[in-house]
Amino acid sequence: MSLQAGRRILREINSINHRFIKGMASQTGDDMEGLDPTQVELLAEQCIVVDEQDRKIGADTKKSCHLMENINKGLLHRAFSVFLFNSKNELLLQQRSDEKITFPGYWTNTCCSHPLNFEAELALDDNLGVKRAAQRKLEHELGISQDQVPLEAFQYLTRIHYKAPSDGKWGEHEIDHILFIQRDVDVKPNQNEVQSTKFVSSNELREFIDNSKVRGIKITPWFGLITQTFLYPWWKNLADIERFKDQETIHKLV
């Protein structure tokens, strides 16, 4: 895909997002009281609802997909997690802003979000839909421009199915597509999304996570699961990461 075509798709994505956000005004009420207005607007986005085999069965708002009352009834949606490494083989971490509705202030991998329910991000061939969503959110959350993270640079590895409550009301229940990418990028965080970032070596990450409880550092559950299960062997083999690709398996970690 050409850069011009990619930018056209991104403009279409942003236009669709804007229409969803405008529609959120009618959905805000007492249950949204005290939450950040920008984050509340994003709750109108249409996530892709899937079954346990990651087959689309419908769509619902980000709000509906993240309410524990719906999660406890089995509502499941598609997501992605990006792990971005620089040329020094260091991993970019982010600390989620305190304005986030789920897991505010938690440290996590580079970018974690959802493909949305429209054609560009529903595409399954070569995992193109989640890769387009990853481009979109890397720019939205971290200010990383599309040309710095071209679609062909993303490597899809596998999927995990997990469930995690954030508090009594909100949580996550996702089939999470894991994407690796190695690029040197310019990071300009959107403070409403990300309050801090840092690059770490694998040894630094081990120490960071091992000492997190003592230091009062919070780690997102999906990042913890991916780190415990997969991350370090993959990290050692960034030059040959494609051999770890597993298109068929969904690892159930709930």
Side-chain angles (χ1 to χ4, degrees):
M1 176 186 294
S2 69
L3 183 59
Q4 183 177 9
R7 285 173 174 163
R8 176 180 54 78
I9 288 172
L10 189 60
R11 287 196 298 271
E12 292 173 357
I13 290 169
N14 290 336
S15 176
I16 290 167
N17 281 348
H18 180 68
R19 293 198 297 272
F20 283 140
I21 287 168
K22 285 183 67 178
M24 197 65 206
S26 62
Q27 299 184 41
T28 58
D30 292 342
D31 59 342
M32 300 291 100
E33 188 175 352
L35 299 178
D36 177 77
T38 300
Q39 292 296 319
V40 168
E41 287 180 343
L42 294 174
L43 292 177
E45 292 180 337
Q46 291 282 311
C47 293
I48 302 164
V49 176
V50 297
D51 64 15
E52 292 194 358
Q53 286 71 51
D54 196 26
R55 296 175 298 210
K56 180 188 173 184
I57 57 173
D60 210 336
T61 63
K62 182 179 175 183
K63 175 183 177 181
S64 182
C65 288
H66 290 81
L67 286 169
M68 284 306 302
E69 63 179 301
N70 296 329
I71 289 171
N72 289 333
K73 295 174 184 175
L75 189 62
L76 177 65
H77 64 278
R78 186 174 295 158
F80 66 83
S81 286
V82 175
F83 289 73
L84 185 148
F85 302 85
N86 62 17
S87 56
K88 299 177 183 178
N89 290 352
E90 296 170 325
L91 172 63
L92 178 60
L93 304 183
Q94 67 153 280
Q95 184 182 20
R96 292 162 67 87
S97 77
D98 289 334
E99 284 71 38
K100 297 289 283 186
I101 293 171
T102 59
F103 302 100
Y106 281 61
W107 281 90
T108 195
N109 51 287
T110 311
C111 183
C112 326
S113 191
H114 321 93
L116 300 181
N117 183 51
F118 56 92
E119 184 176 0
E121 293 187 8
L122 284 165
L124 297 177
D125 289 349
D126 194 31
N127 307 100
L128 194 55
V130 293
K131 292 177 181 178
R132 287 171 175 159
Q135 267 191 336
R136 171 174 57 83
K137 291 303 289 186
L138 283 167
E139 182 167 47
H140 175 228
E141 293 187 3
L142 293 161
I144 299 172
S145 63
Q146 181 181 356
D147 61 329
Q148 291 191 326
V149 284
L151 292 175
E152 61 271 17
F154 288 96
Q155 291 283 349
Y156 167 87
L157 293 179
T158 192
R159 291 169 287 182
I160 67 167
H161 175 184
Y162 79 95
K163 179 166 65 174
S166 177
D167 54 25
K169 181 173 181 177
W170 302 98
E172 298 283 0
H173 188 208
E174 303 179 329
I175 291 184
D176 192 11
H177 296 230
I178 301 173
L179 302 174
F180 268 34
I181 184 169
Q182 187 165 23
R183 305 283 291 191
D184 289 323
V185 297
D186 299 315
V187 180
K188 302 172 185 177
N190 172 355
Q191 293 299 312
N192 188 257
E193 293 284 332
V194 176
Q195 62 178 287
S196 185
T197 63
K198 63 179 175 179
F199 280 97
V200 294
S201 68
S202 59
N203 288 336
E204 288 169 339
L205 181 62
R206 288 182 191 274
E207 181 182 0
F208 183 71
I209 291 178
D210 288 346
N211 295 320
S212 60
K213 290 185 179 179
V214 174
R215 297 176 181 173
I217 297 167
K218 298 178 288 186
I219 307 293
T220 60
W222 62 88
F223 183 39
L225 288 169
I226 295 168
T227 300
Q228 294 164 18
T229 310
F230 304 111
L231 180 59
Y232 295 112
W234 290 345
W235 200 335
K236 289 180 182 178
N237 293 276
L238 288 178
D240 191 25
I241 195 64
E242 191 170 359
R243 70 186 177 94
F244 292 97
K245 181 176 180 179
D246 180 359
Q247 192 73 48
E248 303 301 322
T249 307
I250 300 173
H251 302 271
K252 197 162 185 176
L253 304 180
V254 292

